[in-house]
Amino acid sequence: MRTWMCWIVVVPFAGWAAVRLSGFEPDWPWVPAVAYTPYAVGAAVLALALACALRRWAAGTVALVAVLAMTPVVLPRALADGNPGARGPGLRVLAANLLVGQADPAELMALVTRLRPDVLTLQELTPNALRRLEEAGIRRVLPQAVTRPAPGVGGSGVYARHPLQAGKLINLGGFGQARAWLSHPGGARVEIVSVHPCAPKRYGRQPCWRAGLEALPRGGGELRVLAGDFNATLDHLPMRDLLASGYRDAADVMGLGLRATWPQAGSGTRLPGVAIDHVLADSRMAVRGFEVLSLKGTDHRPVFADLRLP
């Protein structure tokens, strides 16, 4: 019984490690589940301890391999990285999912006032939320805007201190991802994308989710910042492909890549927290700071990054 118990505990995490490192991403339920890979590493360590305590060395060896395989994937997110030699002007970016427009506009304005972002990207921006936010004075602080509000979860927008030129909206499965070109006073031209692909909550949503991530512009060439609710962690294959094209995750760079952004405490969702809201900066940019914040009325925690342009 002890032998069987060890194998029952160990085998799922060995399988998890094999799939996560394989370069292959199955459909549902793997896509939602793989977001919990950091938890799987911790559970694999416990499985290893159990096998060792019961002296089941074969199972323990398999558990050890799983731990050693997944640790290099997860641990670097808690370690700060270096930066390229960017010497250009700063670019402060704030991103917030408004939960179908229910987030508190006064509290969002307080964040904007305190953090002084150059750019604010919004997801789940409804027409009513847009009206309430502009009544709260967002245009006095961030006068430039490219907004694509919509009922439900599909609205999106970009606000900025500096001139914006609207880009082509990404719209897949009813989820809009606003794009805008920012003309920075320092002379740089930067594309800003308010990211929000479909959520892979159930079977059949994965094609929409994957297409929404694959439609995002690849890195290299023009300077770009992608900010918002990616509905993906650094363990998802489309996210890893996007990063490999020429971006860096601001949280990961600052050693804060394990800080959960969803669900926010008190939102009614009881799942363990995962990091699905990100600021991805062009790999030529330096990351000088990153924060995970709080905002009443939404299940997501806003994220803020302080960047420096090349």
Side-chain angles (χ1 to χ4, degrees):
M1 286 298 295
R2 290 184 178 184
T3 299
W4 279 107
M5 181 173 64
C6 281
W7 282 112
I8 288 170
V9 171
V10 166
V11 166
F13 301 110
W16 192 302
V19 177
R20 169 59 180 82
L21 300 174
S22 68
F24 167 69
E25 191 160 80
D27 206 319
W28 192 92
W30 175 254
V31 169
V34 74
Y36 297 93
T37 293
Y39 297 95
V41 175
V45 171
L46 294 177
L48 172 60
L50 175 65
C52 291
L54 297 179
R55 299 188 179 185
R56 285 347 187 228
W57 306 122
T61 299
V62 172
L64 178 62
V65 170
V67 171
L68 293 178
M70 289 194 289
T71 297
V73 168
V74 173
L75 183 60
R77 299 174 207 177
L79 305 174
D81 300 335
N83 270 310
R87 295 291 182 268
L91 183 69
R92 299 163 67 85
V93 180
L94 176 63
N97 181 311
L98 304 181
L99 185 59
V100 199
Q102 297 180 66
D104 185 338
E107 189 164 335
L108 180 58
M109 283 300 303
L111 286 177
V112 169
T113 301
R114 177 171 69 85
L115 296 169
R116 296 176 292 106
D118 299 294
V119 172
L120 169 66
T121 71
L122 299 174
Q123 300 83 52
E124 302 195 21
L125 177 66
T126 63
N128 185 52
L130 176 65
R131 177 186 57 78
R132 292 190 298 131
L133 190 56
E134 299 210 346
E135 286 177 354
I138 189 66
R139 289 293 190 114
R140 290 195 296 271
V141 185
L142 300 171
Q144 304 295 317
V146 172
T147 57
R148 301 289 186 266
V153 298
S156 182
V158 178
Y159 284 88
R161 293 184 185 276
H162 313 306
L164 288 178
Q165 179 182 353
K168 184 178 180 180
L169 177 72
I170 300 170
N171 192 350
L172 293 164
F175 281 67
Q177 303 186 83
R179 304 171 67 173
W181 288 96
L182 174 80
S183 297
H184 197 283
R189 186 170 181 261
V190 184
E191 185 179 21
I192 309 295
V193 183
S194 178
V195 178
H196 194 210
C198 302
K201 291 182 177 180
R202 62 184 185 275
Y203 183 78
R205 294 293 285 176
Q206 273 62 255
C208 174
W209 167 79
R210 189 178 301 276
L213 289 171
E214 291 176 348
L216 294 170
R218 304 294 100 172
E222 300 276 6
L223 292 175
R224 291 183 172 89
V225 174
L226 315 181
D229 172 12
F230 286 70
N231 278 314
T233 72
L234 301 189
D235 291 297
H236 286 100
L237 186 57
M239 189 72 165
R240 304 198 312 264
D241 289 343
L242 185 60
L243 286 163
S245 75
Y247 294 104
R248 295 197 304 160
D249 179 73
D252 183 41
V253 171
M254 297 303 297
L256 299 171
L258 296 177
R259 290 287 303 277
T261 67
W262 179 90
Q264 185 170 211
S267 65
T269 302
R270 303 194 180 199
L271 292 171
V274 290
I276 60 174
D277 300 85
H278 306 270
V279 176
L280 301 193
D282 184 287
S283 58
R284 292 164 289 183
M285 299 180 186
V287 181
R288 303 188 296 180
F290 179 82
E291 292 183 57
V292 176
L293 307 158
S294 296
L295 177 61
K296 292 178 183 176
T298 177
D299 55 346
H300 287 256
R301 301 184 69 185
V303 292
F304 171 78
D306 184 4
L307 310 175
R308 183 177 290 279
L309 303 180

